[in-house]
Amino acid sequence: MAGTNKPPRVIALVGPQSSGKTTLLESILCRCGDLERRSSNGARLIGDSSPEAKARDMGTEINIASGTFMGDRYTFLDCPGSIELMQETYAALPAVDAAVVVTETEADKIMGLSPLLKMLDDNNIPHFIFANKVDKAAGSVRQLADALKSVSQRPVVLRQIPIRNGEEITGYVDLAHERAHVYSKHEESKVVDLPSELEGDVADARYAMLETLADFDEHLMEELLEDITPPKDEVMKDLADDLSKDLIVPVMMGSAVNENGVHRLLKALRHEVPTIDVLLDRMGFIGKGDNAMAHVLKTYYLPHMGKMSLARILNGEIKDGDSFNGDRASGLFQLFGDKTEKASKAGVGEIIGLGRLENAQTG
């Protein structure tokens, strides 16, 4: 649990089955340096390890892994995408700082996001959309935006538009920073000059992004009306503030299997996802001095270990052997994929496993 003193932020990866959530998790961990490169045959390096998951060739329960990016700590909850298992996802979401909704770009796949997006908005949970598998995408960014707008209660904000070479997407333009990037497989993208043929499209798309942000910022609205170009730091602050309040849904794009767009997604998480204080306000949490308090996200029944409660610490510090409402935990554990490791203590914001809390219930 080494790292900065800032409480870790917890990010849920959610979306339909086969959208690429676990592949995105692996690519994120590779980018963070907490996982070796994915194998060439596509075999899973983390998660989906239970007999049921292997038999069904899909995620059947939450995969948990932590990583550090640019000094900040994150725990990622890779949630199952099957409609039969959505309750598992819904039970975990109330205690996360933000969610990344992973989707393919086809319109029929996007239509299936409606119940999940409604649940996130009904609970005011900040969320991004990551349009995955853009290396195989056939439609236009306009079609993607229109489809997403049709299923989202909150305004959808395109953060990037693609750079194409013929039919192939080879990079993107970041609309907030006004920078063009070209993809490099399994590496961070490279900054390049903005292609001249895209200048008009970029100007239109960026203005549309600013117009949406201006709906929540009178000063930005005045700048646009007076044809004043807003400073980039003002735009970035608006993006972070509006995400924190679940006023907008930023849309990023990439290819998880190639690690394209993953570094930029991590930078957005770092700069824009709110701290745990926002979560505590959303939950209506009232601190109780130094008393340790935790929210149970999931209950496991593991071979040789029995009941384990997956929980996020909201207040205080938990030590191995502590009791909760008279119920003593038989062990404190960190989880990384299918691995568990005993821990001596854990602090605010962390996700931990508590052994054999017989009276603890999910939620």
Side-chain angles (χ1 to χ4, degrees):
M1 298 185 183
T4 65
N5 292 324
K6 184 189 297 185
R9 281 171 283 184
V10 175
I11 312 295
L13 304 180
V14 299
Q17 183 182 341
S18 302
S19 58
K21 297 182 297 298
T22 304
T23 303
L24 179 59
L25 173 62
E26 291 180 350
S27 294
I28 284 171
L29 296 173
C30 287
R31 180 61 55 198
C32 291
D34 293 274
L35 191 68
E36 295 296 327
R37 189 70 57 203
R38 297 187 76 240
S39 59
S40 58
N41 63 6
R44 288 278 181 247
L45 297 179
I46 187 171
D48 297 352
S49 58
S50 69
E52 184 181 6
K54 290 178 179 178
R56 301 176 67 174
D57 193 27
M58 67 178 199
T60 57
E61 58 187 17
I62 296 172
N63 294 323
I64 305 136
S66 297
T68 301
F69 180 72
M70 300 182 73
D72 289 348
R73 294 180 297 153
Y74 300 87
T75 296
F76 296 94
L77 306 181
D78 171 21
C79 300
S82 170
I83 193 69
E84 313 162 349
L85 303 169
M86 285 306 289
Q87 189 54 45
E88 176 116 343
T89 298
Y90 292 164
L93 288 176
V96 305
D97 297 304
V100 175
V101 181
V102 185
T103 181
E104 296 175 72
T105 58
E106 289 80 0
D108 60 331
K109 302 289 181 65
I110 290 172
M111 293 306 294
L113 297 179
S114 184
L116 179 57
L117 293 176
K118 184 178 186 304
M119 188 274 176
L120 290 166
D121 285 329
D122 286 349
N123 290 275
N124 297 313
I125 298 170
H127 52 287
F128 293 85
I129 291 174
F130 184 78
N132 193 21
K133 306 181 185 180
V134 295
D135 51 323
K136 301 177 181 178
S140 68
V141 69
R142 185 181 298 277
Q143 290 171 323
L144 171 65
D146 288 344
L148 290 171
K149 289 174 183 177
S150 72
V151 295
S152 176
Q153 296 181 3
R154 303 289 192 264
V156 169
V157 176
L158 286 179
R159 294 286 299 275
Q160 301 163 336
I161 63 171
I163 298 173
R164 295 181 183 269
N165 182 4
E167 294 300 313
E168 180 186 6
I169 292 178
T170 58
Y172 67 92
V173 179
D174 185 307
L175 297 176
H177 293 283
E178 297 181 280
R179 293 178 190 155
H181 299 249
V182 292
Y183 292 135
S184 298
K185 192 172 183 179
H186 301 309
E187 294 180 6
E188 184 180 348
S189 61
K190 310 298 183 186
V191 178
V192 297
D193 292 334
L194 176 66
S196 57
E197 66 272 17
L198 282 180
E199 289 178 357
D201 291 339
V202 169
D204 291 344
R206 189 169 195 272
Y207 191 81
M209 178 187 75
L210 295 176
E211 277 190 314
T212 301
L213 298 180
D215 288 339
F216 309 105
D217 182 344
E218 290 184 5
H219 181 258
L220 178 59
M221 178 65 76
E222 291 173 1
E223 288 178 319
L224 296 183
L225 291 174
E226 296 173 14
D227 203 23
I228 297 172
T229 301
K232 287 188 176 66
D233 58 354
E234 179 185 353
V235 175
M236 296 307 300
K237 183 178 184 302
D238 275 350
L239 286 167
D241 289 348
D242 293 350
L243 174 79
S244 176
K245 299 170 185 174
D246 187 36
L247 297 175
I248 61 170
V249 184
V251 180
M252 320 286 282
M253 63 182 63
S255 168
V257 72
N258 295 321
E259 290 181 38
N260 295 154
V262 173
H263 190 89
R264 187 68 197 91
L265 174 63
L266 278 165
K267 291 191 78 171
L269 297 180
R270 182 173 186 262
H271 291 291
E272 297 169 37
V273 169
T275 63
I276 193 172
D277 294 334
V278 173
L279 166 67
L280 298 179
D281 287 342
R282 189 171 77 234
M283 296 178 75
F285 176 82
I286 300 174
K288 296 187 177 181
D290 296 329
N291 289 343
M293 297 188 70
H295 179 88
V296 179
L297 310 175
K298 175 178 172 57
T299 302
Y300 296 93
Y301 292 90
L302 303 175
H304 313 298
M305 294 183 68
K307 181 179 179 180
M308 179 183 289
S309 301
L310 182 70
R312 187 173 192 197
I313 303 174
L314 304 179
N315 193 64
E317 181 180 76
I318 293 177
K319 297 177 181 177
D320 188 16
D322 279 353
S323 295
F324 295 85
N325 300 324
D327 199 359
R328 186 177 183 274
S330 64
L332 181 64
F333 302 91
Q334 289 179 288
L335 289 83
F336 191 98
D338 59 352
K339 299 178 177 63
T340 57
E341 180 179 335
K342 290 207 71 171
S344 59
K345 62 181 180 179
V348 170
E350 296 193 61
I351 296 277
I352 44 94
L354 295 165
R356 298 181 182 176
L357 286 180
E358 299 304 328
N359 294 323
Q361 297 180 2
T362 298

